[in-house]
Amino acid sequence: MAIVKPFKAVRPSRDKAALVSSKSYEAYTPAELGAKLNFNPFSFLHILNPDYKYHQEVSSEQRFQLVHKKYTEFKSSNYFSKDNKPAFYIYQNNTPTKSYCGIISATAAEDYHNNVIKKHEDTLEKRELLFEKYLKKTGFNAEPVLLTYPDNEVIEKIIKKHQKKRPEYEFTTTDRNSHLLWVINNEKEISQITEAFKSVTTLYIADGHHRTTSSCLLAKKLAKENKNHTGQEPYNFFMSYLLPESQLDIYEFNRFIRDLNGLNSAELLIEIGKIFKIQKKHQEFFRPTEKNQFSMYLDGEFYALSLKKSAYKFTDALSKLDAQILFTTVLNPILGINDIRNDSKIVYSQNKSGSLELKTKVDSGEFKVSFGMLPATIEELKTIVDANLLMPPKTTFIEPKLRSALTIYEL
């Protein structure tokens, strides 16, 4: 049973929503970030980057205090205001090729600790602790975690009903995406949504693993510090965007390797040939068409690698995942990559566009070899998670990517 709750969001005024909201901070190039900070005084990026005007380094503790101060300034200037009634928020993001629509709500840290909310990849403790400090110092979170759930007729019916009405927000951004938001504060519909999610046994984290873990760590800490803890305090919940599984898009990451671990190209092909059938594609761009098949670019030529089933043993759901197969058969034993998350020899790049990046990055001389694969499916993700296993890092690049500060959750 998944616990979801309406909450009183802090939101930008209708006339400033397009100017205030932003992409994730890391999504901007330095030039883009500078332009936003220089020419848009309403951008939420001013809150995230409050030391910009000082042009000097500050400690993370000082920065978090400045973030809180700037956030308070935005509220006092009426760029933001808090809703009077708890609500769910329908958020629709239309890209040039796809439409995503789900519900922003508060979800329970208790569900994460009880394995109702499940993760599919591991997190870094250093990042967890840093974001936990950020949440405690600033007192708010402005970017929801992306959770996915099985399609539900009751929830879909409520969403479609509201989509026929005028949105609270409706604007288009320079990436040609349009953004719409509706507020659900009707008690009957809130009850229907809450009850519908009680039938959902598992919510899967699609994006935002570190934010989820940090929020839940902070919830435990604040509960211990609060002598009058009831379990209903805002810190016991975190903001999530709940999206039906059918709308989730999963893309793969390509792998780029800096050296051949002391092998020459011929020796590498011999070692790989013990586990894979190798077909040279020459200059023909090759992209896998089936599971257990990989593309490789080496010395100016593409290769198709197909797993020899006789040379590999499937032992569990994770062993069937292409990213895991590549690691256990090639990256680790042949190319000497032990720590797939932190080894500087390997670099990842999401392959949403199916570009020729596999070729161009190797041709540049920065890398010796590259590998591509098909994206994982939602079924693979769920099977692995339900078996209490974790995918290797950089297995999935998931969309939609959410905007910050359309709704803000205060702890």
Side-chain angles (χ1 to χ4, degrees):
M1 181 179 80
I3 301 169
V4 302
K5 285 185 61 173
F7 67 101
K8 296 179 182 178
V10 174
R11 300 188 288 113
S13 57
R14 187 197 290 264
D15 64 309
K16 293 182 178 65
L19 294 168
V20 169
S21 73
S22 69
K23 293 186 292 186
S24 177
Y25 186 83
E26 293 80 10
Y28 292 96
T29 66
E32 289 173 326
L33 186 61
K36 293 285 185 183
L37 292 169
N38 285 328
F39 300 110
N40 180 4
F42 304 110
S43 176
F44 183 69
L45 294 169
H46 285 287
I47 295 175
L48 296 179
N49 203 31
D51 51 331
Y52 178 73
K53 64 183 179 182
Y54 299 117
H55 299 288
Q56 62 184 23
E57 292 291 328
V58 296
S59 69
S60 55
E61 181 114 355
Q62 290 172 316
R63 183 170 177 268
F64 298 161
Q65 290 172 347
L66 289 170
V67 167
H68 177 75
K69 180 181 177 183
K70 194 69 177 178
Y71 174 65
T72 303
E73 288 176 8
F74 266 52
K75 288 178 71 177
S76 63
S77 299
N78 294 319
Y79 300 166
F80 289 134
S81 62
K82 191 168 187 175
D83 285 341
N84 294 322
K85 296 173 64 178
F88 289 118
Y89 304 87
I90 297 173
Y91 170 53
Q92 181 175 333
N93 176 8
N94 300 322
T95 75
T97 58
K98 181 77 183 278
S99 179
Y100 307 94
C101 193
I103 294 176
I104 298 174
S105 79
T107 45
E110 174 188 347
D111 278 353
Y112 179 75
H113 296 308
N114 292 337
N115 215 27
V116 174
I117 296 175
K118 296 183 178 180
K119 63 181 181 179
H120 72 265
E121 68 178 35
D122 212 350
T123 51
L124 294 174
E125 185 179 13
K126 184 178 180 180
R127 285 186 63 188
E128 292 171 4
L129 296 176
L130 183 65
F131 194 68
E132 180 192 342
K133 286 182 180 179
Y134 169 87
L135 289 173
K136 191 171 185 179
K137 287 289 183 184
T138 63
F140 71 87
N141 186 17
E143 186 177 348
V145 171
L146 177 59
L147 301 179
T148 189
Y149 64 93
D151 291 48
N152 183 288
E153 289 184 10
V154 174
I155 299 169
E156 183 181 0
K157 186 177 179 181
I158 294 172
I159 289 175
K160 285 184 175 179
K161 175 184 173 182
H162 281 269
Q163 285 175 317
K164 295 176 183 178
K165 303 177 182 178
R166 182 194 176 191
E168 175 73 8
Y169 302 146
E170 184 175 14
F171 60 91
T172 300
T173 44
T174 54
D175 55 7
R176 295 182 173 84
N177 289 358
S178 62
H179 306 271
L180 301 90
L181 185 133
W182 294 264
V183 180
I184 304 178
N185 53 24
N186 176 281
E187 289 185 9
K188 181 180 177 181
E189 289 178 324
I190 286 175
S191 178
Q192 288 174 330
I193 292 170
T194 303
E195 287 300 313
F197 275 104
K198 285 182 180 179
S199 67
V200 176
T201 56
T202 307
L203 295 171
Y204 297 89
I205 302 173
D207 196 17
H209 286 78
H210 285 92
R211 276 172 282 140
T212 302
T213 307
S214 300
S215 297
C216 295
L217 285 173
L218 181 60
K220 276 190 171 181
K221 184 176 289 187
L222 293 179
K224 288 181 180 179
E225 294 174 0
N226 184 0
K227 294 180 181 179
N228 300 313
H229 173 78
T230 66
Q232 293 304 308
E233 295 86 356
Y235 59 72
N236 293 290
F237 302 86
F238 58 96
M239 184 170 64
S240 296
Y241 180 55
L242 302 160
L243 188 74
E245 289 175 6
S246 62
Q247 295 187 35
L248 199 69
D249 283 331
I250 304 178
Y251 302 93
E252 75 277 20
F253 278 88
N254 292 326
R255 272 85 166 124
F256 299 86
I257 316 301
R258 297 188 189 278
D259 65 64
L260 302 185
N261 196 32
L263 302 174
N264 59 40
S265 297
E267 291 169 336
L268 176 63
L269 288 169
I270 289 171
E271 291 300 315
I272 290 176
K274 296 175 182 178
I275 309 144
F276 294 88
K277 297 175 184 176
I278 301 176
Q279 183 181 2
K280 185 182 285 191
K281 294 291 185 177
H282 302 287
Q283 293 297 313
E284 176 191 349
F285 174 67
F286 173 73
R287 191 174 187 183
T289 57
E290 58 188 52
K291 289 292 180 180
N292 305 158
Q293 188 180 65
F294 303 85
S295 56
M296 181 176 75
Y297 186 74
L298 174 71
D299 285 346
E301 295 185 303
F302 280 100
Y303 295 85
L305 310 181
S306 299
L307 183 67
K308 295 177 182 178
K309 300 296 172 38
S310 59
Y312 183 85
K313 185 177 181 181
F314 296 111
T315 56
D316 55 24
L318 182 59
S319 70
K320 298 176 183 178
L321 184 71
D322 283 348
Q324 182 71 7
I325 291 171
L326 186 66
F327 175 70
T328 57
T329 60
V330 178
L331 301 183
N332 177 242
I334 299 175
L335 293 173
I337 296 170
N338 298 313
D339 184 350
I340 197 168
R341 183 181 293 274
N342 298 312
D343 197 319
S344 61
K345 287 169 57 174
I346 185 169
V347 171
Y348 305 90
S349 178
Q350 61 87 4
N351 195 33
K352 177 185 171 183
S353 61
S355 68
L356 281 172
E357 194 177 37
L358 283 171
K359 170 180 166 62
T360 56
K361 282 193 172 182
V362 174
D363 286 348
S364 72
E366 184 180 358
F367 302 96
K368 291 293 185 182
V369 63
S370 60
F371 298 92
M373 67 195 81
L374 287 179
T377 64
I378 184 64
E379 289 76 19
E380 285 181 302
L381 185 151
K382 290 169 63 177
T383 300
I384 289 169
V385 170
D386 289 343
N388 294 316
L389 300 169
L390 295 174
M391 291 180 167
K394 300 296 184 182
T395 296
T396 58
F397 178 84
I398 292 179
E399 288 197 331
K401 297 299 180 188
L402 307 178
R403 290 188 78 79
S404 297
L406 282 178
T407 57
I408 296 173
Y409 184 82
E410 292 188 329
L411 302 176

mmCIF file of all heavy atoms in Angstrom, residues 107-122:
data_model
loop_
_atom_site.group_PDB
_atom_site.id
_atom_site.type_symbol
_atom_site.label_atom_id
_atom_site.label_comp_id
_atom_site.label_asym_id
_atom_site.label_seq_id
_atom_site.Cartn_x
_atom_site.Cartn_y
_atom_site.Cartn_z
ATOM 1 N N THR A 107 5.087 11.899 -0.794
ATOM 2 C CA THR A 107 5.177 10.456 -0.579
ATOM 3 C C THR A 107 5.970 10.195 0.701
ATOM 4 O O THR A 107 6.760 11.025 1.141
ATOM 5 C CB THR A 107 5.848 9.750 -1.773
ATOM 6 O OG1 THR A 107 7.011 10.481 -2.165
ATOM 7 C CG2 THR A 107 4.903 9.657 -2.947
ATOM 8 N N ALA A 108 5.749 9.025 1.280
ATOM 9 C CA ALA A 108 6.195 8.766 2.644
ATOM 10 C C ALA A 108 7.593 8.171 2.724
ATOM 11 O O ALA A 108 7.901 7.193 2.042
ATOM 12 C CB ALA A 108 5.207 7.833 3.343
ATOM 13 N N ALA A 109 8.422 8.755 3.594
ATOM 14 C CA ALA A 109 9.734 8.168 3.891
ATOM 15 C C ALA A 109 9.558 6.759 4.457
ATOM 16 O O ALA A 109 10.368 5.866 4.206
ATOM 17 C CB ALA A 109 10.491 9.053 4.883
ATOM 18 N N GLU A 110 8.476 6.558 5.190
ATOM 19 C CA GLU A 110 8.163 5.242 5.752
ATOM 20 C C GLU A 110 8.056 4.186 4.649
ATOM 21 O O GLU A 110 8.503 3.041 4.811
ATOM 22 C CB GLU A 110 6.836 5.333 6.518
ATOM 23 C CG GLU A 110 6.305 4.017 7.049
ATOM 24 C CD GLU A 110 4.901 4.155 7.610
ATOM 25 O OE1 GLU A 110 4.430 5.295 7.807
ATOM 26 O OE2 GLU A 110 4.267 3.111 7.842
ATOM 27 N N ASP A 111 7.484 4.564 3.503
ATOM 28 C CA ASP A 111 7.351 3.623 2.384
ATOM 29 C C ASP A 111 8.713 3.235 1.820
ATOM 30 O O ASP A 111 8.904 2.100 1.361
ATOM 31 C CB ASP A 111 6.476 4.227 1.286
ATOM 32 C CG ASP A 111 4.993 4.063 1.562
ATOM 33 O OD1 ASP A 111 4.650 3.361 2.533
ATOM 34 O OD2 ASP A 111 4.171 4.623 0.815
ATOM 35 N N TYR A 112 9.635 4.182 1.843
ATOM 36 C CA TYR A 112 10.989 3.874 1.364
ATOM 37 C C TYR A 112 11.668 2.895 2.318
ATOM 38 O O TYR A 112 12.276 1.908 1.888
ATOM 39 C CB TYR A 112 11.800 5.161 1.245
ATOM 40 C CG TYR A 112 13.229 4.965 0.775
ATOM 41 C CD1 TYR A 112 13.514 4.676 -0.559
ATOM 42 C CD2 TYR A 112 14.293 5.069 1.671
ATOM 43 C CE1 TYR A 112 14.820 4.500 -0.989
ATOM 44 C CE2 TYR A 112 15.604 4.899 1.250
ATOM 45 C CZ TYR A 112 15.860 4.618 -0.089
ATOM 46 O OH TYR A 112 17.158 4.436 -0.503
ATOM 47 N N HIS A 113 11.554 3.145 3.603
ATOM 48 C CA HIS A 113 12.180 2.269 4.590
ATOM 49 C C HIS A 113 11.531 0.884 4.617
ATOM 50 O O HIS A 113 12.200 -0.104 4.928
ATOM 51 C CB HIS A 113 12.108 2.906 5.983
ATOM 52 C CG HIS A 113 12.869 4.182 6.109
ATOM 53 N ND1 HIS A 113 14.205 4.301 5.748
ATOM 54 C CD2 HIS A 113 12.484 5.417 6.544
ATOM 55 C CE1 HIS A 113 14.599 5.536 5.958
ATOM 56 N NE2 HIS A 113 13.593 6.235 6.442
ATOM 57 N N ASN A 114 10.247 0.816 4.250
ATOM 58 C CA ASN A 114 9.527 -0.464 4.249
ATOM 59 C C ASN A 114 9.542 -1.148 2.886
ATOM 60 O O ASN A 114 8.830 -2.136 2.671
ATOM 61 C CB ASN A 114 8.075 -0.248 4.701
ATOM 62 C CG ASN A 114 7.985 0.144 6.158
ATOM 63 O OD1 ASN A 114 8.890 -0.139 6.951
ATOM 64 N ND2 ASN A 114 6.908 0.816 6.530
ATOM 65 N N ASN A 115 10.309 -0.603 1.955
ATOM 66 C CA ASN A 115 10.489 -1.199 0.627
ATOM 67 C C ASN A 115 9.218 -1.180 -0.223
ATOM 68 O O ASN A 115 9.057 -2.002 -1.130
ATOM 69 C CB ASN A 115 11.018 -2.636 0.736
ATOM 70 C CG ASN A 115 11.973 -2.976 -0.395
ATOM 71 O OD1 ASN A 115 12.632 -2.098 -0.952
ATOM 72 N ND2 ASN A 115 12.045 -4.243 -0.751
ATOM 73 N N VAL A 116 8.322 -0.248 0.062
ATOM 74 C CA VAL A 116 7.195 -0.003 -0.840
ATOM 75 C C VAL A 116 7.663 0.884 -1.984
ATOM 76 O O VAL A 116 7.280 0.699 -3.138
ATOM 77 C CB VAL A 116 6.015 0.662 -0.087
ATOM 78 C CG1 VAL A 116 4.898 1.052 -1.052
ATOM 79 C CG2 VAL A 116 5.484 -0.292 0.983
ATOM 80 N N ILE A 117 8.518 1.852 -1.667
ATOM 81 C CA ILE A 117 9.213 2.648 -2.682
ATOM 82 C C ILE A 117 10.582 2.009 -2.881
ATOM 83 O O ILE A 117 11.379 1.927 -1.935
ATOM 84 C CB ILE A 117 9.357 4.117 -2.247
ATOM 85 C CG1 ILE A 117 7.978 4.774 -2.123
ATOM 86 C CG2 ILE A 117 10.223 4.892 -3.238
ATOM 87 C CD1 ILE A 117 8.012 6.193 -1.589
ATOM 88 N N LYS A 118 10.851 1.531 -4.087
ATOM 89 C CA LYS A 118 12.064 0.752 -4.346
ATOM 90 C C LYS A 118 12.992 1.467 -5.322
ATOM 91 O O LYS A 118 12.549 2.119 -6.263
ATOM 92 C CB LYS A 118 11.702 -0.623 -4.914
ATOM 93 C CG LYS A 118 10.913 -1.506 -3.955
ATOM 94 C CD LYS A 118 10.652 -2.876 -4.570
ATOM 95 C CE LYS A 118 9.907 -3.788 -3.611
ATOM 96 N NZ LYS A 118 9.653 -5.134 -4.197
ATOM 97 N N LYS A 119 14.298 1.306 -5.090
ATOM 98 C CA LYS A 119 15.295 1.899 -5.975
ATOM 99 C C LYS A 119 15.860 0.840 -6.907
ATOM 100 O O LYS A 119 15.846 -0.350 -6.605
ATOM 101 C CB LYS A 119 16.414 2.541 -5.162
ATOM 102 C CG LYS A 119 17.224 1.583 -4.299
ATOM 103 C CD LYS A 119 18.288 2.345 -3.510
ATOM 104 C CE LYS A 119 19.136 1.404 -2.660
ATOM 105 N NZ LYS A 119 20.182 2.121 -1.917
ATOM 106 N N HIS A 120 16.375 1.293 -8.064
ATOM 107 C CA HIS A 120 16.959 0.340 -9.015
ATOM 108 C C HIS A 120 18.461 0.531 -9.194
ATOM 109 O O HIS A 120 19.100 -0.232 -9.913
ATOM 110 C CB HIS A 120 16.249 0.407 -10.370
ATOM 111 C CG HIS A 120 16.531 1.646 -11.181
ATOM 112 N ND1 HIS A 120 15.708 2.750 -11.158
ATOM 113 C CD2 HIS A 120 17.525 1.950 -12.043
ATOM 114 C CE1 HIS A 120 16.188 3.675 -11.966
ATOM 115 N NE2 HIS A 120 17.289 3.231 -12.516
ATOM 116 N N GLU A 121 19.016 1.558 -8.561
ATOM 117 C CA GLU A 121 20.463 1.701 -8.614
ATOM 118 C C GLU A 121 20.980 2.221 -7.282
ATOM 119 O O GLU A 121 20.232 2.815 -6.496
ATOM 120 C CB GLU A 121 20.913 2.614 -9.765
ATOM 121 C CG GLU A 121 20.535 4.070 -9.617
ATOM 122 C CD GLU A 121 21.056 4.914 -10.774
ATOM 123 O OE1 GLU A 121 21.082 4.404 -11.905
ATOM 124 O OE2 GLU A 121 21.414 6.078 -10.531
ATOM 125 N N ASP A 122 22.265 1.978 -7.030
ATOM 126 C CA ASP A 122 22.866 2.358 -5.758
ATOM 127 C C ASP A 122 23.182 3.851 -5.741
ATOM 128 O O ASP A 122 23.200 4.516 -6.779
ATOM 129 C CB ASP A 122 24.136 1.544 -5.513
ATOM 130 C CG ASP A 122 24.371 1.286 -4.038
ATOM 131 O OD1 ASP A 122 23.663 1.900 -3.211
ATOM 132 O OD2 ASP A 122 25.256 0.488 -3.707
#
